[in-house]
Amino acid sequence: MTAINLSGIKRYTSSSLILMALSTSALAGNVQIGTEFRDFNEPYKSDSYQMPYVSFNLNPIEGSPLQVIAKIDYRHMDLPEQRSWNNRSRQTLAVGYQWTLGQFTWAPKVGFRHQIYEGNTRSMEYRFYPGLRYNFSKSTSINLAGWMAPTRSHGRFRDDGVDKKLRTSYDDYTHELELKLGHSLSSSQRVTVSLYHEMFSKEYESRAFSNKESDSLQLRLYYRHRLNDLTLEPYTRIDLTQNQTDGVGNERNQKRNRYGMLATYKLSKQLSILPEIYMEEADVKTWNNEDATNPEKYYMYYGLSFRYSFK
């Protein structure tokens, strides 16, 4: 497993202290501090990384359904020093409001995700979170989670010469949306079945990658069981389709499956520890869906975080 990079964790120690201080003045919410590891098999070992992070979820105005969420993380790739350009820091912020009308709840949020790669390459993504929920009864509900985002494009149009102006627009698009149907079997058990759809459409300066698209549909199953202070949630994610298309008409379908377990244990009324582990495996295909000569790609994920809740 990838060794712990303490410098990345120290990078966010001051941020976590600021967020903890905010918790004393906010009405309700939580602060979470943790780290993640992804450990890939050979010959994909260079894709491995660790990522410490700090996040919070606040209701800052008393008596108001206003919500503020944010996350700061730093990805440290398991790469030779000369390829450290793939390391990146990322900041995510969103503000939302909640309306409830009978059994229907709408809690939209708007925000951004900003990334800075080593070498000072930057990207900005503006997001909209639909936050729709309908309660059929006290035990059964359906909700639409996830986000949608126009994505900024850089590069010259294909027919432009090298001396033409650089094109900058927001005509690319990406989203990750999940439609969840949940049912409580008892006060301590709940099952959820969902369909997750992920897609992006991007344009690049290079002709080979212009109009690249990816479209995937995934079946997700969750089971949550609470045992006093311990909550266990085994889950699985199974790709139904995973289609990719490049700019010259090539296609491939590289399905991914994930099997994991998330746990939450209350150390006290306000403090919880959240370990998580899962394995994700993926087909490795060449364009036009031919089997690649490389072996199947998979990785193990290990996560550990602490969450402090307050009112």
Side-chain angles (χ1 to χ4, degrees):
M1 187 175 69
T2 306
I4 298 176
N5 184 283
L6 294 178
S7 62
I9 297 176
K10 290 177 181 178
R11 183 184 297 233
Y12 291 99
T13 301
S14 59
S15 299
S16 62
L17 293 175
I18 294 172
L19 295 177
M20 291 291 286
L22 285 173
S23 69
T24 62
S25 60
L27 171 64
N30 62 72
V31 177
Q32 190 162 318
I33 303 171
T35 191
E36 303 175 356
F37 304 90
R38 293 193 186 190
D39 189 20
F40 283 81
N41 64 311
E42 297 289 353
Y44 312 102
K45 205 68 176 178
S46 62
D47 289 343
S48 300
Y49 68 82
Q50 64 182 70
M51 187 174 72
Y53 66 89
V54 178
S55 66
F56 69 84
N57 186 328
L58 298 176
N59 298 115
I61 302 176
E62 185 174 1
S64 168
L66 181 68
Q67 183 183 35
V68 179
I69 62 171
K71 185 176 182 180
I72 303 171
D73 58 57
Y74 174 74
R75 184 181 68 188
H76 178 79
M77 302 293 294
D78 186 14
L79 295 170
E81 191 64 30
Q82 63 269 24
R83 294 185 60 197
S84 63
W85 49 265
N86 217 14
N87 296 339
R88 63 112 175 94
S89 63
R90 181 169 62 187
Q91 305 86 40
T92 304
L93 176 68
V95 178
Y97 201 84
Q98 179 174 301
W99 291 269
T100 301
L101 181 61
Q103 294 172 287
F104 177 75
T105 300
W106 185 36
K109 294 187 290 290
V110 293
F112 66 85
R113 186 182 71 174
H114 181 243
Q115 298 189 106
I116 307 174
Y117 291 86
E118 292 198 15
N120 207 32
T121 301
R122 298 168 181 257
S123 67
M124 175 70 82
E125 187 175 87
Y126 298 99
R127 292 182 170 186
F128 172 73
Y129 304 76
L132 298 170
R133 181 184 180 94
Y134 184 81
N135 296 320
F136 296 103
S137 65
K138 290 183 178 180
S139 60
T140 306
S141 64
I142 188 169
N143 69 292
L144 179 64
W147 51 268
M148 301 174 286
T151 306
R152 194 173 189 179
S153 304
H154 295 279
R156 297 174 177 85
F157 289 110
R158 290 186 184 183
D159 297 331
D160 287 347
V162 294
D163 296 328
K164 299 294 184 180
K165 291 184 178 180
L166 189 68
R167 173 176 61 92
T168 301
S169 65
Y170 280 88
D171 53 2
D172 289 347
Y173 175 78
T174 182
H175 75 230
E176 294 182 20
L177 296 172
E178 186 173 8
L179 184 64
K180 301 180 180 181
L181 179 63
H183 177 72
S184 295
L185 304 174
S186 67
S187 59
S188 60
Q189 299 179 74
R190 186 172 179 84
V191 293
T192 301
V193 179
S194 75
L195 283 176
Y196 168 86
H197 186 247
E198 175 184 345
M199 71 89 64
F200 71 80
S201 176
K202 293 182 178 294
E203 296 185 14
Y204 297 88
E205 181 179 355
S206 169
R207 181 182 296 272
F209 293 100
S210 181
N211 299 321
K212 183 176 181 181
E213 295 183 358
S214 178
D215 189 311
S216 63
L217 182 65
Q218 199 173 73
L219 175 66
R220 296 184 173 185
L221 305 172
Y222 308 85
Y223 172 71
R224 189 175 67 219
H225 194 169
R226 188 174 68 251
L227 303 165
N228 296 321
D229 292 332
L230 175 65
T231 299
L232 298 175
E233 186 171 351
Y235 61 87
T236 184
R237 301 178 177 182
I238 301 172
D239 264 358
L240 303 177
T241 61
Q242 219 278 9
N243 299 314
Q244 298 177 2
T245 306
D246 69 5
V248 292
N250 295 315
E251 297 182 358
R252 64 184 175 189
N253 191 332
Q254 299 189 123
K255 294 182 179 179
R256 303 159 299 170
N257 296 319
R258 181 181 296 185
Y259 315 94
M261 170 76 75
L262 172 65
T264 304
Y265 183 75
K266 287 190 174 183
L267 300 173
S268 67
K269 186 176 180 179
Q270 294 177 297
L271 184 63
S272 300
I273 184 172
L274 294 86
E276 182 177 9
I277 184 172
Y278 67 76
M279 182 190 76
E280 180 170 300
E281 56 184 4
D283 293 338
V284 182
K285 300 285 188 179
T286 63
W287 290 109
N288 298 320
N289 286 318
E290 296 178 359
D291 291 332
T293 56
N294 294 332
E296 183 182 34
K297 186 176 185 178
Y298 68 88
Y299 68 86
M300 292 298 302
Y301 169 95
Y302 309 93
L304 182 64
S305 63
F306 292 88
R307 182 169 62 204
Y308 179 79
S309 302
F310 48 87
K311 291 184 178 180

